[in-house]
Every structure is written in C-alpha cells, then in structure tokens.
Amino acid sequence: MKEAIGRHSSMKYRNLGKSGLRVSCLGLGTWVTFGSQISDEMAESLMTVAYENGINLFDTAEVYASGRAEITLGNIFRKKGWRRSSFVVTTKIYWGGQAETERGLSRKHIIEGLRGSLSRLQLDYVDIVFANRTDVNSPMEEVVRAMTFVINQGLAMYWGTSRWSAMEIMEAYSVARQFNLIPPVCEQAEYHYFQRDKVEVQLPELYHKIGVGAMTWSPLACGLITGKYNEGIPECSRATMKGYHWLKERVSSEEGRRQLAKIKELHLLADRMGCTAAQLAIAWCLRSEGVSSVLLGVSNTDQLVENLGALRVLSQMSPQLVNEIDSLLGNKPHSKKESRA
C-alpha cells in the first residue's frame, strides 16, 4: 500500500483500499463521545487538534447518540470553515429510528437515512457511506443498487461495508460486477490484539482479489489495553455505563483475566520501548497489511495527542518486535497458504 507523509505534519496517508482516495492512517471516531459523553467545546478541541495534526478522516453514524453526534460534527465543520475538499467524512446507515422503515438496508432507508445524515451534518455529500451490518430482509442486489444510486446522485463518493463477513463482501462485489453497479471499497472491522483473524487473514485476501481495504476500530479494545481494568472496574469507566454490561462481563470472565495478564506484559514491553501501551497497540494495528486507517476513540485532547504518538512507534515495528508480540499474545491467525505449508 502506497504511503506518504504529510507536507505539514508527520501524519501518514494511505489509499483507501485500491481506490484513489487518500486518507490519514489515523482517523477520529465519534462513537461514544460526540453528542453524549463530552461537551461540544471538547468535541471542537478534539477535531481542531486532529485536523491540525494531519487527520483528514472523521467517522460517524446515524445511530451515534441518536443522531446528535452528526449534529455536533456538522456544527463544528460549519464553525471551523475548513475547505470541504480537505477532509473526509464517513457515516454508517442501519439504525436510524424506531419505525420499521427507519432501520435496515432497504433502498428506502439507505436513501432516506443518508439524506437525514446529510441534513444533520449540514453537508451536501459524505465521502463514504457504510452499510452497517448486513440485513437478511434486504436482497444484496437491492443494497448494491441503492448504494450505486446515492453515489450517482452525488450524495456520497464511495460506499463500504461495516461488520460484514468476507463472503458477504464478495457477494456484493459479484452483484456489482454482474449488473454494472458500483462495488464497495472498504470494510470497517474491529481490530486489536485479541481480535485478529478477519483483518489479518480474510481482508488481505479480499484486498488482493477485489481491492477492498480495511478501516479498523477499537484498537484499544474499549480501553482494556490501556490497563484501566488491571485492578478492577473503575467507577467512571465505559464498563459501568448503561448498555455496556457485555464489556463488564468480558473483563470479569476467565478469558478476560488471561487477556489482562498479557496486557501487563505488553505494558512492560512498551516501557522498554519508551512509549505507552496505547501507542504500541495502535502502531501494531497500523503495521498490518491492507489497513488503510485506524479510527481513534478519545474523550479528551491529552488522549488524542498520546494516540498520535503511535506514528513515531510505527517506525520501530520491526519483524523481530512483531514476532515478540505474537509470541506474547499466542493467538496469531494462519492464512490458508500458511496452513497448507
């Protein structure tokens, strides 16, 4: 994947899959913060620091904070007055509202949902619209045709998938080729030390076959990798929030305890390298083949500045260091070629 360093920052830029779109290798996500957990002032500070440090990718979704994340993002874009051509906005369609027709991937909801997102974002178009999850009630041809329509109408530049299986992505590509429609360019997938198979085995194969890239999220495994849960579950952590009972159970499980033990060893490795555990984890994600961009989820500017330091650590990710991390984790997935070998 061609990579270039920015003219005015140390940010690295990569092509989104095999498309011509250049995105910063670190992007700013708005998942659990914008419109809910942090003030609008802090959201503006985060976006300003991100943009000034070369981040050109801002990710949101119609469902984040019930649409308030998009509103916050749009207000900041309008206030800052940045050239629209200088940044990339992505949103996801699936969960739009309470009515039966306000969710899913029907042609109706894809088009109406995206128009709703554009209204909240105060934008004429988004750069990428993602189909978030697959919808058993919508035929694949309908989804691909609807995505082709919104691109042809100028409401989006590209479309991608989020949390789709490799088989589903391949089906979407085949449908696009069969009917001369537009195929997806990117998959959004969870990726961190403990979630590896899809991004390291399945997506590289898709990248080489059909040009689909990877935009990954949760590089710190919802904060697990930072060590915040090493001594139990803090009062104000995400694991105590409404709707995050699954995270609390994950941390408290037998597997969670094994992961926490490995995280303590990874902290020692980060200390030896002179970086933080978060920086090491993000750099580790960035070194993976086919990863166009890693989305950061932060709630204050100190966290963002720390995470940006992963770019410095990326240059230290030698094969020896990667092998050391693999040995420590003990969960390296094997591709079909390696299995046959």
Side-chain angles (χ1 to χ4, degrees):
M1 186 178 294
K2 293 178 182 177
E3 185 176 84
I5 296 176
R7 296 175 186 174
H8 307 293
S9 69
S10 58
M11 182 57 64
K12 291 176 169 49
Y13 297 90
R14 298 172 176 177
N15 283 58
L16 184 69
K18 288 188 179 176
S19 78
L21 183 63
R22 302 287 281 174
V23 294
S24 51
C25 69
L26 295 176
L28 185 64
T30 62
W31 177 28
V32 293
T33 52
F34 281 46
S36 57
Q37 281 188 22
I38 62 173
S39 66
D40 289 353
E41 291 74 22
M42 177 55 75
E44 184 180 340
S45 296
L46 284 171
M47 286 183 62
T48 303
V49 171
Y51 188 78
E52 289 176 350
N53 280 274
I55 287 179
N56 71 357
L57 174 61
F58 300 94
D59 176 75
T60 189
E62 62 173 349
V63 72
Y64 293 169
S66 302
R68 292 192 302 278
E70 290 180 325
I71 292 170
T72 301
L73 203 56
N75 287 338
I76 295 169
F77 284 139
R78 188 172 183 178
K79 183 177 178 181
K80 301 303 288 188
W82 296 328
R83 294 188 318 282
R84 179 62 185 91
S85 55
S86 70
F87 58 88
V88 173
V89 181
T90 74
T91 195
K92 291 178 282 297
I93 301 295
Y94 189 91
W95 301 108
Q98 299 303 310
E100 195 64 28
T101 52
E102 292 177 328
R103 58 180 181 266
L105 296 176
S106 66
R107 178 183 176 90
K108 176 178 174 65
H109 181 56
I110 287 173
I111 295 169
E112 291 179 345
L114 181 53
R115 284 183 171 147
S117 289
L118 292 175
S119 175
R120 289 186 291 274
L121 287 163
Q122 302 174 67
L123 297 174
D124 295 327
Y125 64 92
V126 292
D127 297 276
I128 313 162
V129 56
F130 285 97
N132 189 18
R133 302 165 49 129
T134 47
D135 183 0
V136 293
N137 297 312
S138 297
M140 187 62 77
E141 184 183 338
E142 179 175 349
V143 176
V144 180
R145 284 192 182 279
M147 288 299 190
T148 300
F149 174 81
V150 298
I151 290 172
N152 288 339
Q153 291 293 306
L155 305 178
M157 299 286 190
Y158 305 87
W159 79 277
T161 58
S162 178
R163 302 170 71 186
W164 285 30
S165 70
M167 191 180 297
E168 289 163 340
I169 297 167
M170 201 69 214
E171 184 187 351
Y173 178 84
S174 299
V175 166
R177 284 289 169 261
Q178 182 181 355
F179 297 107
N180 197 28
L181 303 172
I182 300 171
V185 298
C186 182
E187 158 69 6
Q188 269 199 16
E190 182 179 2
Y191 183 47
H192 49 73
Y193 290 142
F194 308 112
Q195 187 85 19
R196 302 182 59 175
D197 187 71
K198 184 176 183 179
V199 172
E200 294 186 16
V201 176
Q202 298 170 26
L203 291 184
E205 288 183 7
L206 284 182
Y207 173 74
H208 290 297
K209 282 179 183 174
I210 61 175
V212 169
M215 187 181 293
T216 69
W217 48 274
S218 199
L220 305 179
C222 293
L224 195 72
I225 290 165
T226 63
K228 73 160 73 171
Y229 299 112
N230 284 0
E231 308 303 327
I233 298 173
E235 290 273 327
C236 299
S237 66
R238 197 178 301 176
T240 62
M241 289 168 53
K242 184 181 177 181
Y244 285 86
H245 187 66
W246 58 269
L247 180 56
K248 190 174 183 178
E249 288 181 350
R250 174 175 162 184
V251 172
S252 307
S253 68
E254 186 67 36
E255 179 64 19
R257 284 193 287 273
R258 281 196 294 269
Q259 290 177 356
L260 288 173
K262 291 177 180 178
I263 286 165
K264 287 179 181 177
E265 293 185 58
L266 287 162
H267 275 244
L268 294 174
L269 177 57
D271 289 342
R272 200 178 79 210
M273 292 179 62
C275 66
T276 67
Q279 290 168 341
L280 179 62
I282 294 165
W284 179 87
C285 292
L286 284 170
R287 110 275 169 224
S288 187
E289 178 193 16
V291 172
S292 299
S293 188
V294 173
L295 298 175
L296 305 176
V298 294
S299 54
N300 60 63
T301 50
D302 288 342
Q303 286 179 355
L304 177 56
V305 170
E306 179 199 346
N307 289 358
L308 285 165
L311 294 171
R312 176 179 51 81
V313 182
L314 180 58
S315 62
Q316 302 175 52
M317 297 298 291
S318 64
Q320 294 82 2
L321 178 61
V322 173
N323 287 336
E324 186 176 350
I325 293 173
D326 282 338
S327 299
L328 199 157
L329 292 171
N331 64 354
K332 183 181 179 182
H334 297 284
S335 67
K336 293 173 186 172
K337 291 178 183 176
E338 288 174 322
S339 299
R340 284 198 294 269

